[in-house]
Amino acid sequence: MAPDAPALSDRQFRRKVFEELQNAGTIDGLKGTLRSRLVGVLQRRDPSVFASSGPAHQTLWQRAANSLYVEYLASQNYGYSLSVFQPECGLTNQQVMSREELARVLSLNGPIAGHLPASPTADSPGAPPLLLSLLQGVADMGGGGTRREITTQTDDDTGNGVLSLRLAQIDEMHERAVETERLAPLRDAEARMASFQKECETRLRLEMEEQVRRVRDHEIGQARLEEASKHRRQITQAREELERVHAERLRKLRAREESQTERVRAAETSLERAAYDHRQRLATA
């Protein structure tokens, strides 16, 4: 490290290392490895662990699409993704369509064959994945300036391909009808569940409103009791203060009354003594 380089904290150092590993693809590789090993362990313990991940009944088109993707992942050596995707989509190695089956189902021997970079049934080691060939063929058909004449195919292979496609379409329509009939009770049950849920929500809302009203009434009653208690305390304090003032004034009045009474008694005693002295002087005169 250079002498003038700023020192990194532990958090900054961990973040920098994480970003470098993420940019280099190391973290994604570790995630893929862990995911692949986890799937392998789960499959060894319970082969049906991914049985309910994909659709219960795959149509012909879903099986063809999954087979195209499986073939593409295998040709690109995406082993980790393939180890997760194939068990999840529910395709075994025997159920994966070959290139010949895909070409027959997708009618790749028709007009699109002239736009494909390689034969759709070519299974040589250097042949590109069929998915990439389809994408290039679709792009060539959309961007090409020349129109290719569509001729009537009368050979047995093309006839079998058209018949297989028609049978597959009929099979798919039948599966859709069966699925619709199968899901009809589920839709009724879902409607009943939605109605029941709405009723429960309405009842819950009413109960909540009732609880809120009770709490509000309780709080109002409690506030009224507190106010009444406060007023009673104030009235009691005021009455005690008035009684104290009245007792103080009464004490002062009694003291004044006793003082006046003492002075009157002293005056009466003085007058009686003066009268007695006057009578004594008159008697001796």
Side-chain angles (χ1 to χ4, degrees):
M1 183 179 294
D4 55 349
L8 297 177
S9 62
D10 293 342
R11 185 176 181 181
Q12 292 174 346
F13 178 74
R14 287 195 298 269
R15 181 179 298 176
K16 187 175 181 180
V17 171
F18 176 80
E19 291 177 353
E20 291 180 356
L21 292 176
Q22 188 174 19
N23 294 332
T26 305
I27 293 180
D28 294 335
L30 291 175
K31 288 181 179 179
T33 304
L34 291 175
R35 189 183 299 112
S36 175
R37 292 184 179 179
L38 178 60
V39 169
V41 171
L42 292 177
Q43 282 184 322
R44 285 194 297 272
R45 291 187 177 181
D46 186 5
S48 63
V49 66
F50 293 101
S52 61
S53 299
H57 301 284
Q58 290 189 10
T59 63
L60 182 63
W61 303 113
Q62 290 175 334
R63 183 181 170 190
N66 291 334
S67 299
L68 281 172
Y69 194 57
V70 168
E71 192 239 355
Y72 170 75
L73 293 177
S75 64
Q76 299 298 316
N77 295 324
Y78 293 155
Y80 300 141
S81 300
L82 182 60
S83 64
V84 175
F85 174 74
Q86 188 170 353
E88 189 172 7
C89 70
L91 285 181
T92 62
N93 293 329
Q94 291 76 17
Q95 293 175 339
V96 176
M97 291 184 177
S98 62
R99 295 174 71 96
E100 291 79 5
E101 292 175 340
L102 290 171
R104 187 166 56 253
V105 170
L106 300 177
S107 299
L108 298 183
N109 294 323
I112 195 175
H115 298 275
L116 297 178
S119 174
T121 58
D123 201 8
S124 59
L130 187 56
L131 181 60
L132 294 181
S133 299
L134 286 175
L135 293 177
Q136 295 176 7
V138 171
D140 187 37
M141 290 181 64
T146 60
R147 293 179 178 269
R148 297 183 180 270
E149 181 180 1
I150 302 175
T151 60
T152 305
Q153 303 292 332
T154 58
D155 54 87
D156 295 338
D157 292 339
T158 305
N160 292 333
V162 174
L163 180 60
S164 299
L165 180 60
R166 182 59 181 168
L167 290 176
Q169 292 176 351
I170 294 174
D171 189 16
E172 184 178 359
M173 292 174 61
H174 175 70
E175 289 181 356
R176 289 181 179 176
V178 172
E179 187 70 14
T180 302
E181 292 296 329
R182 187 178 65 84
L183 293 178
L186 296 179
R187 285 195 294 269
D188 295 339
E190 290 178 357
R192 290 195 298 269
M193 287 296 295
S195 177
F196 179 71
Q197 183 178 2
K198 185 177 181 181
E199 181 181 355
C200 291
E201 290 177 354
T202 303
R203 186 179 302 174
L204 180 61
R205 179 175 55 82
L206 293 177
E207 291 180 357
M208 289 294 294
E209 291 178 355
E210 181 66 20
Q211 292 293 336
V212 170
R213 187 186 62 81
R214 290 179 181 177
V215 171
R216 186 182 296 112
D217 293 343
H218 176 72
E219 290 180 351
I220 292 175
Q222 191 70 20
R224 289 177 178 175
L225 291 176
E226 291 178 357
E227 288 294 328
S229 177
K230 181 179 179 181
H231 286 298
R232 283 196 299 270
R233 288 196 301 270
Q234 292 178 352
I235 291 173
T236 301
Q237 292 176 358
R239 185 173 62 249
E240 291 177 353
E241 181 67 20
L242 290 175
E243 289 178 354
R244 186 184 64 78
V245 172
H246 176 70
E248 183 67 21
R249 290 181 178 179
L250 183 60
R251 184 183 63 78
K252 290 180 178 180
L253 287 175
R254 287 178 178 175
R256 186 180 300 174
E257 182 179 358
E258 291 177 357
S259 176
Q260 293 293 334
T261 302
E262 290 295 332
R263 284 198 296 270
V264 169
R265 288 178 180 175
E268 289 178 353
T269 303
S270 177
L271 288 175
E272 289 178 356
R273 185 175 300 160
Y276 176 77
D277 292 340
H278 181 69
R279 284 197 300 271
Q280 288 293 330
R281 285 196 298 270
L282 290 177
T284 57

